[in-house]
Amino acid sequence: MATARLLVRPETRRTNSPTSANRRRRRVRPERLAPYVLVAPAVLVILGFRLWPLLLGVNFSFTGDGDRDGTPVGLDNYAELMRDPVFRIALRNVGLLVLLLPVAVAIPGLLATFLYLRVPGARVFRTVYFFPAVLSPVIVGSIFNLLLAYDGPLNAGLGAVGLGPADWLGDPHVAMFTVAAVHIWATFGMALVVFLAGFATLDATLIDAARTDGAALRQVIWHVIVPGLSRTIQFVFVTTMIGMLTSMFGLLYVMTGGGPGGATYLPEYYIWIQQGQMNRPALASAASTVLFLVMLVVGLAQIGLLRKATRED
Amino acid sequence: MRASRTTRWLAAAPMAALAVATVYPLVFTTNVALKTRHDYILDRFSPTRTAHWDNLGEAWASAGVSQYFVNSLIVVGCAVVLLLALGSMAGFALSHLPFRGSRALFLACLAALFIPFQVIMVPLARTMTGIGLIDTYPGLILAYVAQFLPFTIYLMTSYYSGIPADIVDAARIDGSSVYGVYRRIMLPLGAPALLSVGVLDALFCWNDVLIALLLMPSAQHRTLMVGITSLRGQYSDDIPTFAAGVLIAAVPILVVYLVFQRQIADAVTAGATKG
């Protein structure tokens, strides 16, 4: 509680003797302190273990590793990052995910639309679809390692319909798509639930009116539902992108380990390897800072674009 | 609104196919987990004729899953209790007690919500090493609390904002202290929100692998998810036992999901409605 007292020190300034002030404050208005006491532990934890590390990390990214530990090196780490082919692959994969993003949003969006339109069995579908979203990426990755094995069920199924087996995780041109697809499989339920919450706020009479005026389902979706859900769509776009950039670590760690040949690196995986395996924490910090900037730019760009698109509609 | 009959039935077919695609991986894994190693090598797809439960026992005992399980329970249990305590205290203060800087504090919380762990993981690991909390239960618990507290505070603040100030005023007039209001009114009234956010926090912590991998490197401290990743190398030639370990890790989540489905969805969407 010493910290709480520290926080309220300005309030006690108007009394002259600290001991009598202390006593009087405790007797007369102890509740004056209460908000600070209630908030202090949370503030300390967030300050100490979230905001402070952020500043430390940015600062740390301008220092050296190994022999140059602790010495300022300016932008050397950033220059090295840009020269590192693996980091460039990681950035290219970010671009790939941005391209896949519309798919990752459209799937839950369409499914939510049909659930909203009360497809038979909607309740069961909803429960089933959402389930993978609560599973750990480690569990999902482990399960898909079994499914996608060269002699696993997926290739066996493909063989049954006359298609050759694919090396889902071993082919550098395929592996990143495979991991991204598994990520989408595992997370679309989360976006689906958000979409459904958005639908719940839609004005149903507007849709009914459009229907009575003879609008086709496609037109209703495009001209009534999409504009009505613009805020929800924005939210899903941004959170799905953040999810793709920050919650695929478990999948990558379990399914590919960044391979084959670095083909499935993402910045987050790169940070982990540099920190944990290569003992290059300063370089890892620089990669962290880049990831943060990428997320900021992508997020702001998306919000800007979507806002413009939905306004024109 | 209802779409036409045909549209609805036409949509139902691909949706059912997708539902099967969602469930099949789990069914497959369960099936593998119940096969003998011999059966698995001969035929990995057909349903097991006789369920071979020994794999589960093997994974639980010999593979160390029980130890990982207990580690996860300790860490997640402590983290969730702390999250709910700190989150509800702060949420109450931010929603019902006017004080200098409360608005700024709430905004700082929201900002912290958008700092991904990957961005702070390197300095956090260094800090934890510096204060001697690396590879300890308190260190990992603290990291989880820091990671999910902004979300917890945000949800508790918005939930408590919906509770009329009159209730607080009435209790104060009756002579209750602020702490009394928190303990006797806010905590019980907040139960539904605490349950929702608690379940979601528990899932987040239980499912995490990156934070645990970073801050709990030694084998005897491994959490369940980290343990599962190590199981794979260990049992690469005994897939049924590996599948059994995966199944053991998935079942508690399945149970929590089926019991608290609505609460989880509530918490997820409560974070979303802000837009």
Side-chain angles (χ1 to χ4, degrees):
Chain A
M1 288 303 107
T3 46
R5 211 169 289 145
L6 229 152
L7 274 175
V8 289
R9 191 156 291 158
E11 304 277 336
T12 65
R13 226 176 275 144
R14 62 185 94 94
T15 48
N16 30 27
S17 147
T19 42
S20 81
N22 223 351
R23 205 172 299 134
R24 192 190 315 158
R25 194 179 59 209
R26 203 159 278 165
R27 202 176 55 234
V28 182
R29 310 201 56 179
E31 63 272 25
R32 210 200 176 89
L33 277 172
Y36 300 99
V37 173
L38 289 168
V39 148
V43 168
L44 285 176
V45 170
I46 292 177
L47 268 183
F49 296 95
R50 255 173 107 77
L51 298 179
W52 180 237
L54 183 68
L55 295 178
L56 272 185
V58 173
N59 187 43
F60 191 54
S61 72
F62 296 109
T63 66
D65 282 314
D67 297 343
R68 298 198 294 170
D69 186 21
T71 53
V73 296
L75 291 170
D76 282 10
N77 288 320
Y78 293 90
E80 190 178 340
L81 275 185
M82 292 311 147
R83 279 195 308 270
D84 186 343
V86 177
F87 190 71
R88 285 218 295 269
I89 295 177
L91 287 183
R92 207 193 55 208
N93 282 337
V94 169
L96 184 92
L97 292 180
V98 173
L99 292 180
L100 287 176
L101 185 64
V103 181
V105 174
I107 292 172
L110 262 178
L111 289 172
T113 309
F114 282 114
L115 290 183
Y116 178 68
L117 297 177
R118 309 226 186 90
V119 160
R123 264 238 187 105
V124 179
F125 288 149
R126 189 189 152 146
T127 301
V128 170
Y129 291 161
F130 189 46
F131 175 55
V134 299
L135 277 183
S136 165
V138 167
I139 295 176
V140 171
S142 300
I143 290 176
F144 273 88
N145 271 344
L146 300 177
L147 288 170
L148 299 171
Y150 198 72
D151 50 359
L154 184 61
N155 277 341
L158 286 178
V161 296
L163 292 167
D167 195 357
W168 298 106
L169 295 170
D171 183 338
H173 299 294
V174 177
M176 193 61 214
F177 286 98
T178 308
V179 178
V182 172
H183 178 76
I184 293 174
W185 176 89
T187 54
F188 78 91
M190 210 52 113
L192 179 80
V193 168
V194 174
F195 269 123
L196 286 174
F199 272 114
T201 65
L202 264 190
D203 186 359
T205 54
L206 216 59
I207 297 172
D208 288 335
R211 297 288 283 178
T212 22
D213 287 350
L217 182 59
R218 204 172 341 121
Q219 291 172 307
V220 174
I221 291 176
W222 197 244
H223 293 292
V224 182
I225 294 182
V226 168
L229 286 183
S230 63
R231 279 172 72 85
T232 308
I233 295 172
Q234 269 178 41
F235 180 84
V236 173
F237 256 94
V238 175
T239 50
T240 306
M241 192 67 231
I242 292 176
M244 281 179 148
L245 290 178
T246 61
S247 57
M248 280 170 76
F249 175 83
L251 286 183
L252 295 173
Y253 186 74
V254 171
M255 294 180 71
T256 65
T264 56
Y265 263 79
L266 280 177
E268 58 165 337
Y269 199 78
Y270 185 89
I271 297 165
W272 159 256
I273 292 290
Q274 293 303 333
Q275 153 79 10
Q277 261 68 57
M278 305 298 186
N279 200 20
R280 299 287 310 271
L283 186 67
S285 278
S288 292
T289 310
V290 172
L291 173 64
F292 193 44
L293 291 177
V294 166
M295 290 184 46
L296 218 58
V297 168
V298 171
L300 291 176
Q302 274 167 3
I303 293 175
L305 280 176
L306 288 166
R307 193 160 284 166
K308 218 167 121 202
T310 42
R311 202 178 287 145
E312 277 165 7
D313 224 294
Chain B
M1 163 183 119
R2 281 169 163 269
S4 75
R5 249 186 116 77
T6 30
T7 317
R8 283 191 290 128
W9 280 101
L10 274 178
M15 291 182 84
L18 187 65
V20 171
T22 309
V23 173
Y24 178 72
L26 275 167
V27 175
F28 176 78
T29 307
T30 310
N31 192 40
V32 170
L34 297 178
K35 282 178 183 247
T36 63
R37 215 197 308 188
H38 183 72
D39 280 353
Y40 176 75
I41 292 166
L42 284 181
D43 177 11
R44 54 189 64 180
F45 309 120
S46 69
T48 44
R49 265 152 296 167
T50 48
H52 183 72
W53 297 99
D54 294 6
N55 293 331
L56 293 171
E58 163 85 14
W60 179 256
S62 319
V65 169
S66 59
Q67 179 62 49
Y68 306 148
F69 204 98
V70 171
N71 289 340
S72 273
L73 275 183
I74 294 171
V75 171
V76 175
C78 294
V80 169
V81 168
L82 274 171
L83 276 166
L84 293 183
L86 302 192
S88 62
M89 276 157 55
F92 166 46
L94 289 171
S95 61
H96 281 278
L97 304 174
F99 64 98
R100 210 179 296 164
S102 76
R103 180 86 197 135
L105 211 58
F106 184 67
L107 290 177
C109 251
L110 276 186
L113 201 60
F114 292 101
I115 303 172
F117 181 75
Q118 285 81 347
V119 173
I120 60 164
M121 66 187 248
V122 178
L124 185 67
R126 287 170 70 89
T127 305
M128 286 292 182
T129 311
I131 57 179
L133 287 181
I134 196 96
D135 207 22
T136 64
Y137 291 121
L140 186 57
I141 291 165
L142 208 55
Y144 282 146
V145 172
Q147 180 67 19
F148 302 116
L149 194 53
F151 169 73
T152 310
I153 292 178
Y154 170 71
L155 272 189
M156 290 316 296
T157 306
S158 32
Y159 183 82
Y160 280 147
S161 299
I163 292 175
D166 302 357
I167 295 178
V168 180
D169 294 342
R172 295 305 303 281
I173 291 164
D174 286 349
S176 175
S177 72
V178 176
Y179 305 108
V181 172
Y182 168 70
R183 216 174 47 244
R184 282 191 290 272
I185 297 175
M186 281 302 170
L187 220 42
L189 273 182
L194 287 170
L195 182 64
S196 281
V197 72
V199 171
L200 203 60
D201 281 339
L203 279 176
F204 286 154
C205 297
W206 185 266
N207 286 343
D208 164 74
V209 64
L210 177 58
I211 302 177
L213 209 51
L214 183 76
L215 299 178
M216 293 280 254
S218 65
Q220 82 272 17
H221 285 153
R222 272 178 197 148
T223 59
L224 188 55
M225 293 310 144
V226 178
I228 294 295
T229 65
S230 67
L231 215 60
R232 217 183 123 224
Q234 212 177 320
Y235 284 83
S236 54
D237 59 341
D238 184 0
I239 298 298
T241 302
F242 169 64
V246 172
L247 198 63
I248 293 174
V251 164
I253 302 173
L254 178 64
V255 172
V256 167
Y257 173 64
L258 289 177
V259 176
F260 296 109
Q261 203 189 136
R262 227 200 50 231
Q263 283 79 7
I264 297 171
D266 280 355
V268 169
T269 51
T273 42
K274 176 202 61 118

